[in-house]
Amino acid sequence: MEQIQSLAEELRQIPDLRVEQDHPIAPHTTFRIGGPAALAVFPANVQAAAEALRTIARSAVPHAVVGRGSNLLCADSFFF
């Protein structure tokens, strides 16, 4: 979890990027299922998204890019 905390701190330095830890996934899926994500980022613009993806790619933290959440099934347990 130290990697997640370190990545969250780095991501919080990016302008126009909302960063949340232990964020519930269920509200973002059409089936309304899924437990908390260790880390979720919400870019306000393309530049913030690009910088966030570059930052995440440099880390060793596994990640997934999720669009509108349709046809997405996430476990109710903790989600990386």
PDB file of all heavy atoms in Angstrom, residues 44-61:
ATOM      1  N   ALA A  44      -9.867  16.444 -15.458  1.00  0.00           N
ATOM      2  CA  ALA A  44     -10.804  17.459 -15.942  1.00  0.00           C
ATOM      3  C   ALA A  44     -10.568  17.796 -17.405  1.00  0.00           C
ATOM      4  O   ALA A  44     -11.431  18.404 -18.037  1.00  0.00           O
ATOM      5  CB  ALA A  44     -10.695  18.721 -15.090  1.00  0.00           C
ATOM      6  N   ASN A  45      -9.409  17.396 -17.930  1.00  0.00           N
ATOM      7  CA  ASN A  45      -9.114  17.701 -19.329  1.00  0.00           C
ATOM      8  C   ASN A  45      -8.089  16.695 -19.864  1.00  0.00           C
ATOM      9  O   ASN A  45      -7.565  15.864 -19.123  1.00  0.00           O
ATOM     10  CB  ASN A  45      -8.607  19.143 -19.471  1.00  0.00           C
ATOM     11  CG  ASN A  45      -7.440  19.440 -18.570  1.00  0.00           C
ATOM     12  OD1 ASN A  45      -6.458  18.702 -18.526  1.00  0.00           O
ATOM     13  ND2 ASN A  45      -7.530  20.534 -17.811  1.00  0.00           N
ATOM     14  N   VAL A  46      -7.839  16.786 -21.158  1.00  0.00           N
ATOM     15  CA  VAL A  46      -6.933  15.846 -21.828  1.00  0.00           C
ATOM     16  C   VAL A  46      -5.514  15.954 -21.279  1.00  0.00           C
ATOM     17  O   VAL A  46      -4.826  14.940 -21.107  1.00  0.00           O
ATOM     18  CB  VAL A  46      -6.948  16.088 -23.359  1.00  0.00           C
ATOM     19  CG1 VAL A  46      -5.901  15.243 -24.052  1.00  0.00           C
ATOM     20  CG2 VAL A  46      -8.317  15.793 -23.923  1.00  0.00           C
ATOM     21  N   GLN A  47      -5.070  17.153 -20.980  1.00  0.00           N
ATOM     22  CA  GLN A  47      -3.708  17.332 -20.467  1.00  0.00           C
ATOM     23  C   GLN A  47      -3.531  16.631 -19.117  1.00  0.00           C
ATOM     24  O   GLN A  47      -2.509  15.983 -18.881  1.00  0.00           O
ATOM     25  CB  GLN A  47      -3.373  18.831 -20.329  1.00  0.00           C
ATOM     26  CG  GLN A  47      -3.276  19.550 -21.644  1.00  0.00           C
ATOM     27  CD  GLN A  47      -4.642  19.982 -22.202  1.00  0.00           C
ATOM     28  OE1 GLN A  47      -5.675  19.858 -21.547  1.00  0.00           O
ATOM     29  NE2 GLN A  47      -4.643  20.464 -23.424  1.00  0.00           N
ATOM     30  N   ALA A  48      -4.511  16.767 -18.240  1.00  0.00           N
ATOM     31  CA  ALA A  48      -4.440  16.109 -16.934  1.00  0.00           C
ATOM     32  C   ALA A  48      -4.464  14.589 -17.102  1.00  0.00           C
ATOM     33  O   ALA A  48      -3.735  13.873 -16.413  1.00  0.00           O
ATOM     34  CB  ALA A  48      -5.587  16.567 -16.042  1.00  0.00           C
ATOM     35  N   ALA A  49      -5.286  14.106 -18.021  1.00  0.00           N
ATOM     36  CA  ALA A  49      -5.350  12.661 -18.273  1.00  0.00           C
ATOM     37  C   ALA A  49      -4.012  12.138 -18.786  1.00  0.00           C
ATOM     38  O   ALA A  49      -3.519  11.106 -18.316  1.00  0.00           O
ATOM     39  CB  ALA A  49      -6.460  12.356 -19.270  1.00  0.00           C
ATOM     40  N   ALA A  50      -3.425  12.852 -19.729  1.00  0.00           N
ATOM     41  CA  ALA A  50      -2.141  12.426 -20.291  1.00  0.00           C
ATOM     42  C   ALA A  50      -1.045  12.413 -19.237  1.00  0.00           C
ATOM     43  O   ALA A  50      -0.262  11.460 -19.153  1.00  0.00           O
ATOM     44  CB  ALA A  50      -1.756  13.333 -21.455  1.00  0.00           C
ATOM     45  N   GLU A  51      -0.984  13.451 -18.426  1.00  0.00           N
ATOM     46  CA  GLU A  51       0.041  13.513 -17.374  1.00  0.00           C
ATOM     47  C   GLU A  51      -0.181  12.418 -16.330  1.00  0.00           C
ATOM     48  O   GLU A  51       0.770  11.796 -15.863  1.00  0.00           O
ATOM     49  CB  GLU A  51       0.046  14.894 -16.716  1.00  0.00           C
ATOM     50  CG  GLU A  51       1.143  15.072 -15.690  1.00  0.00           C
ATOM     51  CD  GLU A  51       2.544  14.942 -16.257  1.00  0.00           C
ATOM     52  OE1 GLU A  51       2.760  15.242 -17.443  1.00  0.00           O
ATOM     53  OE2 GLU A  51       3.447  14.531 -15.490  1.00  0.00           O
ATOM     54  N   ALA A  52      -1.430  12.158 -15.984  1.00  0.00           N
ATOM     55  CA  ALA A  52      -1.737  11.089 -15.025  1.00  0.00           C
ATOM     56  C   ALA A  52      -1.309   9.738 -15.583  1.00  0.00           C
ATOM     57  O   ALA A  52      -0.685   8.933 -14.870  1.00  0.00           O
ATOM     58  CB  ALA A  52      -3.221  11.085 -14.690  1.00  0.00           C
ATOM     59  N   LEU A  53      -1.613   9.466 -16.841  1.00  0.00           N
ATOM     60  CA  LEU A  53      -1.222   8.192 -17.443  1.00  0.00           C
ATOM     61  C   LEU A  53       0.292   8.036 -17.511  1.00  0.00           C
ATOM     62  O   LEU A  53       0.813   6.948 -17.266  1.00  0.00           O
ATOM     63  CB  LEU A  53      -1.839   8.054 -18.830  1.00  0.00           C
ATOM     64  CG  LEU A  53      -3.334   7.782 -18.847  1.00  0.00           C
ATOM     65  CD1 LEU A  53      -3.891   7.877 -20.263  1.00  0.00           C
ATOM     66  CD2 LEU A  53      -3.642   6.429 -18.236  1.00  0.00           C
ATOM     67  N   ARG A  54       0.996   9.107 -17.818  1.00  0.00           N
ATOM     68  CA  ARG A  54       2.473   9.034 -17.825  1.00  0.00           C
ATOM     69  C   ARG A  54       3.003   8.731 -16.423  1.00  0.00           C
ATOM     70  O   ARG A  54       3.919   7.918 -16.244  1.00  0.00           O
ATOM     71  CB  ARG A  54       3.067  10.334 -18.351  1.00  0.00           C
ATOM     72  CG  ARG A  54       3.014  10.479 -19.856  1.00  0.00           C
ATOM     73  CD  ARG A  54       3.857  11.653 -20.347  1.00  0.00           C
ATOM     74  NE  ARG A  54       3.298  12.934 -19.941  1.00  0.00           N
ATOM     75  CZ  ARG A  54       2.423  13.638 -20.659  1.00  0.00           C
ATOM     76  NH1 ARG A  54       1.989  13.172 -21.811  1.00  0.00           N
ATOM     77  NH2 ARG A  54       1.979  14.796 -20.219  1.00  0.00           N
ATOM     78  N   THR A  55       2.439   9.394 -15.427  1.00  0.00           N
ATOM     79  CA  THR A  55       2.877   9.195 -14.042  1.00  0.00           C
ATOM     80  C   THR A  55       2.591   7.771 -13.585  1.00  0.00           C
ATOM     81  O   THR A  55       3.437   7.122 -12.971  1.00  0.00           O
ATOM     82  CB  THR A  55       2.171  10.211 -13.121  1.00  0.00           C
ATOM     83  OG1 THR A  55       2.498  11.537 -13.567  1.00  0.00           O
ATOM     84  CG2 THR A  55       2.595  10.042 -11.671  1.00  0.00           C
ATOM     85  N   ILE A  56       1.402   7.281 -13.887  1.00  0.00           N
ATOM     86  CA  ILE A  56       1.022   5.917 -13.492  1.00  0.00           C
ATOM     87  C   ILE A  56       1.888   4.891 -14.204  1.00  0.00           C
ATOM     88  O   ILE A  56       2.319   3.903 -13.601  1.00  0.00           O
ATOM     89  CB  ILE A  56      -0.474   5.679 -13.755  1.00  0.00           C
ATOM     90  CG1 ILE A  56      -1.314   6.569 -12.835  1.00  0.00           C
ATOM     91  CG2 ILE A  56      -0.835   4.213 -13.560  1.00  0.00           C
ATOM     92  CD1 ILE A  56      -2.774   6.676 -13.229  1.00  0.00           C
ATOM     93  N   ALA A  57       2.178   5.112 -15.486  1.00  0.00           N
ATOM     94  CA  ALA A  57       2.991   4.176 -16.249  1.00  0.00           C
ATOM     95  C   ALA A  57       4.407   4.042 -15.668  1.00  0.00           C
ATOM     96  O   ALA A  57       5.008   2.971 -15.750  1.00  0.00           O
ATOM     97  CB  ALA A  57       3.059   4.605 -17.711  1.00  0.00           C
ATOM     98  N   ARG A  58       4.923   5.119 -15.095  1.00  0.00           N
ATOM     99  CA  ARG A  58       6.270   5.076 -14.486  1.00  0.00           C
ATOM    100  C   ARG A  58       6.281   4.309 -13.164  1.00  0.00           C
ATOM    101  O   ARG A  58       7.330   3.894 -12.692  1.00  0.00           O
ATOM    102  CB  ARG A  58       6.792   6.495 -14.253  1.00  0.00           C
ATOM    103  CG  ARG A  58       7.218   7.211 -15.505  1.00  0.00           C
ATOM    104  CD  ARG A  58       7.986   8.490 -15.178  1.00  0.00           C
ATOM    105  NE  ARG A  58       7.230   9.419 -14.351  1.00  0.00           N
ATOM    106  CZ  ARG A  58       6.513  10.440 -14.812  1.00  0.00           C
ATOM    107  NH1 ARG A  58       6.433  10.662 -16.108  1.00  0.00           N
ATOM    108  NH2 ARG A  58       5.878  11.241 -13.982  1.00  0.00           N
ATOM    109  N   SER A  59       5.104   4.141 -12.576  1.00  0.00           N
ATOM    110  CA  SER A  59       5.026   3.437 -11.295  1.00  0.00           C
ATOM    111  C   SER A  59       4.906   1.935 -11.532  1.00  0.00           C
ATOM    112  O   SER A  59       4.676   1.486 -12.647  1.00  0.00           O
ATOM    113  CB  SER A  59       3.822   3.931 -10.490  1.00  0.00           C
ATOM    114  OG  SER A  59       2.633   3.379 -11.020  1.00  0.00           O
ATOM    115  N   ALA A  60       5.055   1.171 -10.475  1.00  0.00           N
ATOM    116  CA  ALA A  60       4.904  -0.282 -10.564  1.00  0.00           C
ATOM    117  C   ALA A  60       3.491  -0.711 -10.155  1.00  0.00           C
ATOM    118  O   ALA A  60       3.230  -1.884  -9.944  1.00  0.00           O
ATOM    119  CB  ALA A  60       5.933  -0.948  -9.663  1.00  0.00           C
ATOM    120  N   VAL A  61       2.584   0.241 -10.059  1.00  0.00           N
ATOM    121  CA  VAL A  61       1.218  -0.040  -9.604  1.00  0.00           C
ATOM    122  C   VAL A  61       0.373  -0.527 -10.785  1.00  0.00           C
ATOM    123  O   VAL A  61       0.299   0.141 -11.814  1.00  0.00           O
ATOM    124  CB  VAL A  61       0.591   1.234  -8.989  1.00  0.00           C
ATOM    125  CG1 VAL A  61      -0.850   1.001  -8.614  1.00  0.00           C
ATOM    126  CG2 VAL A  61       1.398   1.682  -7.780  1.00  0.00           C
TER     127      VAL A  61
END
